[in-house]
Amino acid sequence: MMEVCRNLNIKYSDNLSIRGKYFATQILHADIRKYPENERLLDKNIWESLNAFYRTCVNNPESPFFLDQMKDYLTVPEAAALIKKAGGKSFLAHLYGYFVEDHDAFLDSIVSLNALDGIECYHSLHTIERTKHLLDYCKEHNLHASGGSDYHGALKPNVKMGESLPDVKIPYSILEPWLPSNII
């Protein structure tokens, strides 16, 4: 990635290293943002959002930052089978965090694999309207609903644990249909 930065004349710290609990993309994105002259070289959304940098650069085969990670990942059915074998349930996380042109078509394509138990309906990237849409989708397709705040402490200071949006608590009642009764 540093070679890509050099080729694109994107400035980064000479002593940049990947250590600790952060991913390389987190460290690189934070570092290139230290240099205001880099802002003009990147799309506004990519400059402002680590998520956009990761999804539209690192995961985009047409981006010079692309890292082909597919060889390292399981397919949706393979991942779901492993989760179920371990006694878990497989859920699609944060649908609206994926940079796709049509979220409904993307969701339909994954649900058509018959590998999911449910969908994360409540999430800090979802609006109230999108949450309601996903809850309705789950009902229509006989899928469980779940929720997560995507809390990451200091990495996401505006996200509170247990809230999908500011002052919107993720209802515990959505867990009751699928969590074992000895956990609730």
Side-chain angles (χ1 to χ4, degrees):
M1 284 195 162
M2 287 137 144
E3 182 178 336
V4 172
C5 287
R6 281 191 297 275
N7 292 341
L8 296 174
N9 295 315
I10 296 173
K11 190 172 181 178
Y12 62 91
S13 300
D14 291 333
N15 61 347
L16 187 62
S17 66
I18 313 304
R19 289 193 196 118
K21 61 183 178 179
Y22 300 107
F23 293 106
T25 52
Q26 291 171 311
I27 292 170
L28 179 62
H29 186 260
D31 189 72
I32 62 178
R33 285 176 44 96
K34 290 179 185 175
Y35 302 95
E37 60 267 39
N38 289 337
E39 185 173 2
R40 65 179 175 74
L41 301 171
L42 298 170
D43 177 80
K44 183 178 192 272
N45 194 28
I46 293 168
W47 174 259
E48 293 176 354
S49 167
L50 169 63
N51 190 39
F53 176 70
Y54 180 73
R55 303 247 187 241
T56 61
C57 294
V58 177
N59 289 325
N60 177 359
E62 301 194 9
S63 168
F65 287 101
F66 176 65
L67 295 175
D68 186 3
Q69 303 170 75
M70 292 309 293
K71 65 184 182 304
D72 299 325
Y73 290 126
L74 301 171
T75 64
V76 171
E78 290 169 337
L82 279 175
I83 291 166
K84 290 173 186 182
K85 184 177 179 182
K89 297 203 180 294
S90 61
F91 284 77
L92 176 66
H94 46 66
L95 172 65
Y96 298 106
Y98 302 111
F99 286 88
V100 296
E101 288 184 31
D102 185 339
H103 288 98
D104 287 332
F106 178 68
L107 178 58
D108 287 338
S109 72
I110 293 176
V111 169
S112 73
L113 299 171
N114 295 314
L116 295 178
D117 294 302
I119 300 169
E120 181 181 38
C121 299
Y122 292 87
H123 188 273
S124 56
L125 293 175
H126 300 180
T127 63
I128 295 288
E129 294 77 21
R130 286 178 163 180
T131 297
K132 288 178 183 175
H133 172 70
L134 291 176
L135 289 168
D136 290 341
Y137 189 96
C138 285
K139 285 179 188 167
E140 291 169 19
H141 292 84
N142 198 28
L143 294 166
H144 296 300
S146 73
S149 60
D150 208 18
Y151 175 77
H152 287 255
L155 282 176
K156 293 186 175 183
N158 297 327
V159 175
K160 293 182 182 173
M161 190 178 307
E163 292 184 358
S164 60
L165 295 169
D167 301 319
V168 177
K169 301 274 186 216
I170 299 165
Y172 199 72
S173 60
I174 65 168
L175 307 177
E176 291 171 345
W178 57 269
L179 267 184
S181 61
N182 64 336
I183 293 179
I184 294 181

